[in-house]
PDB file of all heavy atoms in Angstrom:
ATOM      1  N   ASN A  71      74.085  62.664 139.742  1.00 94.00           N
ATOM      2  CA  ASN A  71      75.233  62.157 140.425  1.00 94.00           C
ATOM      3  C   ASN A  71      75.854  60.834 139.773  1.00 94.00           C
ATOM      4  O   ASN A  71      76.981  60.541 139.501  1.00 94.00           O
ATOM      5  CB  ASN A  71      75.109  61.904 141.926  1.00 94.00           C
ATOM      6  CG  ASN A  71      75.243  63.226 142.676  1.00 94.00           C
ATOM      7  OD1 ASN A  71      76.030  64.110 142.330  1.00 94.00           O
ATOM      8  ND2 ASN A  71      74.527  63.450 143.729  1.00 94.00           N
ATOM      9  N   VAL A  72      74.781  60.025 139.528  1.00 95.00           N
ATOM     10  CA  VAL A  72      75.103  58.646 138.903  1.00 95.00           C
ATOM     11  C   VAL A  72      75.682  58.842 137.563  1.00 95.00           C
ATOM     12  O   VAL A  72      76.764  58.233 137.137  1.00 95.00           O
ATOM     13  CB  VAL A  72      73.902  57.742 138.917  1.00 95.00           C
ATOM     14  CG1 VAL A  72      74.280  56.389 138.248  1.00 95.00           C
ATOM     15  CG2 VAL A  72      73.331  57.535 140.356  1.00 95.00           C
ATOM     16  N   ILE A  73      75.004  59.751 136.835  1.00 95.00           N
ATOM     17  CA  ILE A  73      75.506  60.030 135.422  1.00 95.00           C
ATOM     18  C   ILE A  73      76.838  60.606 135.392  1.00 95.00           C
ATOM     19  O   ILE A  73      77.772  60.176 134.637  1.00 95.00           O
ATOM     20  CB  ILE A  73      74.587  60.935 134.652  1.00 95.00           C
ATOM     21  CG1 ILE A  73      73.102  60.321 134.604  1.00 95.00           C
ATOM     22  CG2 ILE A  73      74.983  61.235 133.205  1.00 95.00           C
ATOM     23  CD1 ILE A  73      72.055  61.294 134.083  1.00 95.00           C
ATOM     24  N   ALA A  74      77.104  61.524 136.334  1.00 95.00           N
ATOM     25  CA  ALA A  74      78.392  62.173 136.376  1.00 95.00           C
ATOM     26  C   ALA A  74      79.542  61.174 136.774  1.00 95.00           C
ATOM     27  O   ALA A  74      80.616  61.146 136.043  1.00 95.00           O
ATOM     28  CB  ALA A  74      78.437  63.278 137.526  1.00 95.00           C
ATOM     29  N   ALA A  75      79.236  60.270 137.632  1.00 95.00           N
ATOM     30  CA  ALA A  75      80.260  59.222 138.009  1.00 95.00           C
ATOM     31  C   ALA A  75      80.557  58.329 136.822  1.00 95.00           C
ATOM     32  O   ALA A  75      81.708  58.101 136.425  1.00 95.00           O
ATOM     33  CB  ALA A  75      79.760  58.412 139.141  1.00 95.00           C
ATOM     34  N   ALA A  76      79.501  57.959 136.065  1.00 96.00           N
ATOM     35  CA  ALA A  76      79.728  57.133 134.889  1.00 96.00           C
ATOM     36  C   ALA A  76      80.504  57.857 133.800  1.00 96.00           C
ATOM     37  O   ALA A  76      81.332  57.313 133.219  1.00 96.00           O
ATOM     38  CB  ALA A  76      78.368  56.641 134.386  1.00 96.00           C
ATOM     39  N   MET A  77      80.148  59.082 133.635  1.00 96.00           N
ATOM     40  CA  MET A  77      80.815  59.885 132.596  1.00 96.00           C
ATOM     41  C   MET A  77      82.226  60.042 132.938  1.00 96.00           C
ATOM     42  O   MET A  77      83.129  59.961 132.043  1.00 96.00           O
ATOM     43  CB  MET A  77      80.186  61.346 132.643  1.00 96.00           C
ATOM     44  CG  MET A  77      79.843  61.893 131.326  1.00 96.00           C
ATOM     45  SD  MET A  77      79.332  63.570 131.536  1.00 96.00           S
ATOM     46  CE  MET A  77      77.819  63.556 130.682  1.00 96.00           C
ATOM     47  N   ARG A  78      82.561  60.342 134.146  1.00 96.00           N
ATOM     48  CA  ARG A  78      83.959  60.470 134.688  1.00 96.00           C
ATOM     49  C   ARG A  78      84.712  59.203 134.408  1.00 96.00           C
ATOM     50  O   ARG A  78      85.744  59.203 133.901  1.00 96.00           O
ATOM     51  CB  ARG A  78      84.025  60.907 136.100  1.00 96.00           C
ATOM     52  CG  ARG A  78      85.375  60.826 136.730  1.00 96.00           C
ATOM     53  CD  ARG A  78      85.418  60.658 138.242  1.00 96.00           C
ATOM     54  NE  ARG A  78      84.668  59.255 138.532  1.00 96.00           N
ATOM     55  CZ  ARG A  78      84.222  59.007 139.707  1.00 96.00           C
ATOM     56  NH1 ARG A  78      84.218  59.843 140.718  1.00 96.00           N
ATOM     57  NH2 ARG A  78      83.672  57.834 139.916  1.00 96.00           N
ATOM     58  N   ASP A  79      84.226  58.015 134.837  1.00 96.00           N
ATOM     59  CA  ASP A  79      84.872  56.773 134.669  1.00 96.00           C
ATOM     60  C   ASP A  79      85.191  56.579 133.187  1.00 96.00           C
ATOM     61  O   ASP A  79      86.288  56.128 132.854  1.00 96.00           O
ATOM     62  CB  ASP A  79      84.081  55.655 135.183  1.00 96.00           C
ATOM     63  CG  ASP A  79      83.944  55.663 136.699  1.00 96.00           C
ATOM     64  OD1 ASP A  79      84.710  56.447 137.290  1.00 96.00           O
ATOM     65  OD2 ASP A  79      83.181  55.007 137.341  1.00 96.00           O
ATOM     66  N   TRP A  80      84.116  56.803 132.370  1.00 97.00           N
ATOM     67  CA  TRP A  80      84.282  56.571 130.878  1.00 97.00           C
ATOM     68  C   TRP A  80      85.448  57.470 130.310  1.00 97.00           C
ATOM     69  O   TRP A  80      86.310  57.054 129.686  1.00 97.00           O
ATOM     70  CB  TRP A  80      83.028  56.831 130.179  1.00 97.00           C
ATOM     71  CG  TRP A  80      83.160  56.871 128.758  1.00 97.00           C
ATOM     72  CD1 TRP A  80      83.195  55.787 127.846  1.00 97.00           C
ATOM     73  CD2 TRP A  80      83.263  58.045 127.906  1.00 97.00           C
ATOM     74  NE1 TRP A  80      83.318  56.268 126.593  1.00 97.00           N
ATOM     75  CE2 TRP A  80      83.323  57.643 126.629  1.00 97.00           C
ATOM     76  CE3 TRP A  80      83.274  59.447 128.079  1.00 97.00           C
ATOM     77  CZ2 TRP A  80      83.601  58.586 125.595  1.00 97.00           C
ATOM     78  CZ3 TRP A  80      83.482  60.311 127.121  1.00 97.00           C
ATOM     79  CH2 TRP A  80      83.523  59.895 125.841  1.00 97.00           C
ATOM     80  N   ALA A  81      85.331  58.731 130.793  1.00 96.00           N
ATOM     81  CA  ALA A  81      86.333  59.752 130.346  1.00 96.00           C
ATOM     82  C   ALA A  81      87.762  59.468 130.749  1.00 96.00           C
ATOM     83  O   ALA A  81      88.715  59.468 129.912  1.00 96.00           O
ATOM     84  CB  ALA A  81      85.844  61.166 130.672  1.00 96.00           C
ATOM     85  N   VAL A  82      87.836  59.024 131.944  1.00 96.00           N
ATOM     86  CA  VAL A  82      89.255  58.744 132.522  1.00 96.00           C
ATOM     87  C   VAL A  82      89.764  57.535 131.714  1.00 96.00           C
ATOM     88  O   VAL A  82      90.915  57.470 131.369  1.00 96.00           O
ATOM     89  CB  VAL A  82      89.266  58.641 134.060  1.00 96.00           C
ATOM     90  CG1 VAL A  82      90.567  58.081 134.537  1.00 96.00           C
ATOM     91  CG2 VAL A  82      88.843  59.949 134.704  1.00 96.00           C
ATOM     92  N   GLU A  83      88.938  56.523 131.617  1.00 96.00           N
ATOM     93  CA  GLU A  83      89.396  55.341 130.839  1.00 96.00           C
ATOM     94  C   GLU A  83      89.832  55.664 129.491  1.00 96.00           C
ATOM     95  O   GLU A  83      90.778  55.034 128.941  1.00 96.00           O
ATOM     96  CB  GLU A  83      88.302  54.326 130.770  1.00 96.00           C
ATOM     97  CG  GLU A  83      88.129  53.384 132.064  1.00 96.00           C
ATOM     98  CD  GLU A  83      86.755  52.672 131.947  1.00 96.00           C
ATOM     99  OE1 GLU A  83      86.377  52.314 130.815  1.00 96.00           O
ATOM    100  OE2 GLU A  83      86.189  52.570 132.951  1.00 96.00           O
ATOM    101  N   ASN A  84      89.263  56.704 128.919  1.00 96.00           N
ATOM    102  CA  ASN A  84      89.507  57.098 127.530  1.00 96.00           C
ATOM    103  C   ASN A  84      90.585  58.226 127.436  1.00 96.00           C
ATOM    104  O   ASN A  84      90.666  58.935 126.499  1.00 96.00           O
ATOM    105  CB  ASN A  84      88.344  57.355 126.842  1.00 96.00           C
ATOM    106  CG  ASN A  84      87.574  56.128 126.388  1.00 96.00           C
ATOM    107  OD1 ASN A  84      87.891  55.411 125.436  1.00 96.00           O
ATOM    108  ND2 ASN A  84      86.549  55.879 127.222  1.00 96.00           N
ATOM    109  N   GLY A  85      91.285  58.393 128.543  1.00 95.00           N
ATOM    110  CA  GLY A  85      92.488  59.314 128.557  1.00 95.00           C
ATOM    111  C   GLY A  85      92.180  60.734 128.884  1.00 95.00           C
ATOM    112  O   GLY A  85      93.047  61.661 128.875  1.00 95.00           O
ATOM    113  N   ALA A  86      90.924  61.038 129.456  1.00 95.00           N
ATOM    114  CA  ALA A  86      90.808  62.421 129.836  1.00 95.00           C
ATOM    115  C   ALA A  86      91.300  62.761 131.169  1.00 95.00           C
ATOM    116  O   ALA A  86      91.293  61.911 132.107  1.00 95.00           O
ATOM    117  CB  ALA A  86      89.197  62.646 129.861  1.00 95.00           C
ATOM    118  N   THR A  87      91.858  63.960 131.319  1.00 95.00           N
ATOM    119  CA  THR A  87      92.297  64.292 132.653  1.00 95.00           C
ATOM    120  C   THR A  87      91.501  65.615 133.126  1.00 95.00           C
ATOM    121  O   THR A  87      91.501  65.791 134.392  1.00 95.00           O
ATOM    122  CB  THR A  87      93.771  64.856 132.544  1.00 95.00           C
ATOM    123  OG1 THR A  87      93.934  65.805 131.440  1.00 95.00           O
ATOM    124  CG2 THR A  87      94.700  63.687 132.220  1.00 95.00           C
ATOM    125  N   HIS A  88      90.788  66.199 132.314  1.00 95.00           N
ATOM    126  CA  HIS A  88      90.097  67.447 132.681  1.00 95.00           C
ATOM    127  C   HIS A  88      88.616  67.347 132.246  1.00 95.00           C
ATOM    128  O   HIS A  88      88.349  66.559 131.281  1.00 95.00           O
ATOM    129  CB  HIS A  88      90.830  68.610 131.994  1.00 95.00           C
ATOM    130  CG  HIS A  88      92.088  69.087 132.594  1.00 95.00           C
ATOM    131  ND1 HIS A  88      93.197  68.303 132.464  1.00 95.00           N
ATOM    132  CD2 HIS A  88      92.445  70.218 133.233  1.00 95.00           C
ATOM    133  CE1 HIS A  88      94.168  68.898 133.050  1.00 95.00           C
ATOM    134  NE2 HIS A  88      93.754  70.010 133.552  1.00 95.00           N
ATOM    135  N   TYR A  89      87.879  68.189 132.661  1.00 94.00           N
ATOM    136  CA  TYR A  89      86.441  68.383 132.096  1.00 94.00           C
ATOM    137  C   TYR A  89      86.222  69.824 131.770  1.00 94.00           C
ATOM    138  O   TYR A  89      86.928  70.763 132.432  1.00 94.00           O
ATOM    139  CB  TYR A  89      85.392  67.718 132.985  1.00 94.00           C
ATOM    140  CG  TYR A  89      85.255  68.564 134.307  1.00 94.00           C
ATOM    141  CD1 TYR A  89      84.312  69.586 134.419  1.00 94.00           C
ATOM    142  CD2 TYR A  89      85.964  68.219 135.476  1.00 94.00           C
ATOM    143  CE1 TYR A  89      83.991  70.274 135.494  1.00 94.00           C
ATOM    144  CE2 TYR A  89      85.805  68.959 136.568  1.00 94.00           C
ATOM    145  CZ  TYR A  89      84.811  69.921 136.648  1.00 94.00           C
ATOM    146  OH  TYR A  89      84.710  70.690 137.739  1.00 94.00           O
TER     147      TYR A  89
END
Side-chain angles (χ1 to χ4, degrees):
N71 276 330
V72 179
I73 299 169
M77 225 187 234
R78 173 205 58 201
D79 291 346
W80 169 82
V82 171
E83 276 167 39
N84 285 283
T87 52
H88 289 67
Y89 70 90

